[in-house]
Amino acid sequence: MSSVAIDEALVRRLVAEQFPQWQDETVEQVLPGGHDNRTFRLGRELSVRLPSAETYAAHVGVEHEWLPRLRAQLSLPTPEIVGTGSPCKTFPWPWTVLRWLPGQPLGDAAADREPLAVDLAAFLVELRSLPCVGGPLAGRHNFHRGGDLAVYDAQTREQVSLLLSEDLRRGAVELWEAALDARNEGLRTWIHGDVAAGNLLFEDGRLAAVIDFGQLAVGDPSCDYVAAWTVFSGRSRELFRSAADVDEATWTRARGWALWKELLQVDAATPAPSAHLLDLLSAA
């Protein structure tokens, strides 16, 4: 089965088949939906999360094995897994039932990002301090987040060539080559792998939870600091960097990861750079 229509009807069938104790709970899709997974509210206390394609199905096993161990050691709330759905004729991949976490996805919300920057940096410092022996190393399973930036060298240079402005192309190449030169000298820690605004929940002006640990791995923590340019700017970025407690080389590699991520949105049809990309190329 190469593609599956993931909707509320499917979730109702899966829950009824595998978790009959919750079959009478209401099911409502959470919008906007994510890319790697689709999330549905299950009653008032639970949620259901299904990988959107086979590519992302492997993330379920990593979360189920490692997230319960890590969340017990983290100060900030993270997803609590309460059930593991099995592949079946209705749905070919494993899936998850989770405790519902309160809070609003940061996304494009007009929230004061300065306290959120401090909170997120503290969370990442705490995450990378946890013992990581035996954890899954960054690699193909998590799209090399936390691995060597050079894996994406050819792709990044191809994307740079699509930019219409010579000044932008030159700046992007200089930033990218600086990131490649800022080698990681063996630093390996736990990484979240996808610290994006949609995976950050806030409540009462503070960071309330971090979700979506599908790309969890052990590797170079620089990839988690792309939030400096994709989530924060100006004063909030300064606060994030100060609280992050990372060296200059790690920060430079983080800019490289952010550049790669923003360039993925550039194509021949829409070569105009995003506001984040313009900010990235002008910011230190």
Side-chain angles (χ1 to χ4, degrees):
M1 191 180 298
S2 58
S3 62
V4 182
I6 302 176
D7 55 20
E8 294 173 358
L10 171 65
V11 174
R12 290 190 190 96
R13 289 197 300 272
L14 289 172
V15 171
E17 291 168 1
Q18 299 191 29
F19 299 100
Q21 68 270 37
W22 297 318
Q23 65 181 336
D24 294 329
E25 300 287 355
T26 58
V27 173
E28 182 181 359
Q29 186 167 6
V30 176
L31 297 173
H35 180 269
D36 299 0
N37 300 274
R38 303 288 183 267
T39 300
F40 297 79
R41 187 86 182 255
L42 180 62
R44 294 179 58 85
E45 303 297 331
L46 302 173
S47 64
V48 172
R49 190 162 171 264
L50 296 88
S52 60
E54 185 176 4
T55 306
Y56 310 114
H59 297 171
V60 176
V62 172
E63 277 191 313
H64 283 231
E65 180 176 1
W66 291 99
L67 185 53
R69 309 186 200 188
L70 297 182
R71 73 180 304 274
Q73 305 174 70
L74 292 167
S75 303
L76 201 66
T78 57
E80 178 185 356
I81 298 168
V82 298
T84 304
S86 301
C88 59
K89 291 182 180 180
T90 309
F91 189 73
W93 309 304
W95 49 284
T96 310
V97 181
L98 305 129
R99 191 80 58 196
W100 180 261
L101 283 170
Q104 177 184 346
L106 183 56
D108 296 324
D112 182 354
R113 305 217 168 186
E114 292 185 10
L116 297 173
V118 175
D119 292 345
L120 178 59
F123 171 80
L124 293 176
V125 169
E126 188 176 42
L127 177 64
R128 72 174 194 251
S129 73
L130 300 182
C132 59
V133 175
L137 298 179
R140 289 184 63 186
H141 68 93
N142 77 329
F143 310 110
H144 301 280
R145 304 288 176 89
D148 191 338
L149 267 174
V151 168
Y152 291 114
D153 186 41
Q155 182 186 43
T156 299
R157 293 179 189 276
E158 181 178 355
Q159 291 298 112
V160 168
S161 70
L162 298 177
L163 295 171
L164 295 179
S165 163
E166 182 178 348
D167 287 342
L168 287 177
R169 292 195 297 271
R170 184 186 309 111
V173 168
E174 289 176 356
L175 189 162
W176 181 248
E177 292 183 345
L180 293 177
D181 289 341
R183 305 291 297 178
N184 178 27
E185 301 299 333
L187 176 62
R188 282 182 176 175
T189 72
W190 280 111
I191 62 162
H192 177 279
D194 192 15
V195 182
N199 293 332
L200 306 174
L201 305 184
F202 75 100
E203 192 172 37
D204 297 328
R206 305 307 298 251
L207 190 60
V210 178
I211 61 174
D212 192 352
F213 283 74
Q215 297 185 50
L216 182 72
V218 173
D220 176 7
S222 64
C223 68
D224 278 350
Y225 292 94
V226 299
W229 299 276
T230 59
V231 178
F232 305 119
S233 63
R235 175 62 177 163
S236 63
R237 179 183 299 142
E238 294 173 5
L239 291 170
F240 181 67
R241 181 174 188 179
S242 177
D245 189 28
V246 296
D247 60 26
E248 189 65 33
T250 300
W251 194 252
T252 300
R253 293 194 303 278
R255 287 188 75 194
W257 279 109
L259 176 67
W260 166 75
K261 188 171 185 179
E262 289 302 314
L263 283 172
L264 291 180
Q265 301 178 44
V266 176
D267 59 37
T270 56
S274 67
H276 285 317
L277 180 56
L278 291 173
D279 184 34
L280 178 65
L281 293 175
S282 64

